[in-house]
Amino acid sequence: MAADVVLRARDLALEYRDGTRRVQAVDGVDLELRRGEFVGLVGPSGSGKSSLLFLLAGLRAPDRGSVELLGQPVPRRADESAALRRRHVGILFQEPFLVPYLDVRENALVHVADDGASARLVELARAVGMESMLGERPHRLSGGERQRAGLLRALVTAPELVLADEPTGNLDSATGAAVMDVLRRSTRRAALLVVTHDPSMLAHADRVLRLVDGRLEVVD
């Protein structure tokens, strides 16, 4: 594998049932993400974008195909891929899964062991207007603040792959721009994949892909 390829997916497929209907959420997706690259992913609601992110992160097993992270096969079971994911992948969900009895700082650092993490956390929090909220618990935060708390947790490990699902969905335009700036800066050492419905958030993307009926297309 080329040294700058962070993630490689081959022939990924995922099907699920919706009542009596069988839905092909992901259908034969091939994808490479390289270090320093910002890739946007767009597509209509229900096209499989979130399902694809779950497959790339190792949070769900594909029905077919494989994913490699830094040249290592990602185990098909989420519990078996957890250690690899925590070391190398930052994931920002639309609704972050914050531990309710931990404050923002503790949520961000719960699985982090390196000595530089606390300083990185303060720097990230300052960049997105969360420095004064590091001691707050999730129930005291607005939807946009919870989303930014999820960003802190995703990036504090300085991951080599960042997967962001609608990272600016609950934010005003100024805060959304600050979040995108922080995400773009992560590409100094990482590959970044951003799912969004807002084309303006992808103005600086190196490439934009569209997922339609589970299949990837390149946006002109």
Side-chain angles (χ1 to χ4, degrees):
M1 172 176 282
D4 60 348
V5 175
V6 175
L7 179 137
R8 175 175 286 155
R10 287 288 176 263
D11 195 30
L12 282 185
L14 178 68
E15 183 181 87
Y16 65 87
R17 288 186 177 276
D18 182 9
T20 59
R21 237 175 17 111
R22 298 169 72 88
V23 178
Q24 192 72 45
V26 179
D27 187 9
V29 165
D30 294 328
L31 179 64
E32 285 188 355
L33 300 175
R34 296 177 177 272
R35 196 179 308 278
E37 186 179 35
F38 169 19
V39 178
L41 180 62
V42 299
S45 297
S47 62
K49 301 185 299 297
S50 294
S51 294
L52 178 57
L53 285 194
F54 271 69
L55 295 178
L56 297 178
L59 290 167
R60 187 161 184 178
D63 296 325
R64 186 181 75 242
S66 62
V67 179
E68 291 183 0
L69 178 63
L70 300 171
Q72 301 180 58
V74 174
R76 295 178 65 83
R77 287 177 45 179
D79 58 340
E80 294 176 351
S81 65
L84 185 67
R85 185 166 54 251
R86 287 170 184 161
R87 285 198 305 273
H88 302 295
V89 184
I91 310 170
L92 179 56
F93 297 102
Q94 292 185 54
E95 180 57 47
F97 303 110
L98 301 174
V99 181
Y101 55 83
L102 300 181
D103 63 28
V104 171
R105 183 189 305 275
E106 292 164 337
N107 264 285
L109 298 175
V110 66
H111 292 300
V112 185
D114 75 274
D115 295 335
S118 292
R120 284 198 302 272
L121 177 61
V122 172
E123 182 181 353
L124 287 167
R126 186 178 298 124
V128 296
M130 288 290 287
E131 190 175 12
S132 65
M133 301 175 192
L134 290 175
E136 299 289 353
R137 293 191 178 182
H139 74 277
R140 295 179 59 87
L141 304 177
S142 69
E145 289 162 352
R146 286 195 300 273
Q147 197 165 28
R148 282 178 282 165
L151 173 75
L152 301 181
R153 185 174 60 185
L155 296 185
V156 73
T157 59
E160 291 165 285
L161 173 65
V162 179
L163 304 172
D165 193 359
E166 299 288 356
T168 62
N170 294 318
L171 306 177
D172 60 62
S173 58
T175 307
V179 164
M180 287 304 303
D181 183 60
V182 169
L183 285 170
R184 286 198 304 273
R185 278 189 270 137
S186 74
T187 60
R188 293 170 186 168
R189 71 184 306 274
L192 170 64
L193 179 65
V194 174
V195 172
T196 183
H197 284 99
D198 184 353
S200 68
M201 295 296 107
L202 302 179
H204 300 285
D206 297 295
R207 28 179 196 131
V208 178
L209 306 174
R210 180 185 290 112
L211 195 67
V212 179
D213 296 329
R215 290 184 170 274
L216 276 184
E217 303 172 350
V218 178
V219 176
D220 293 333

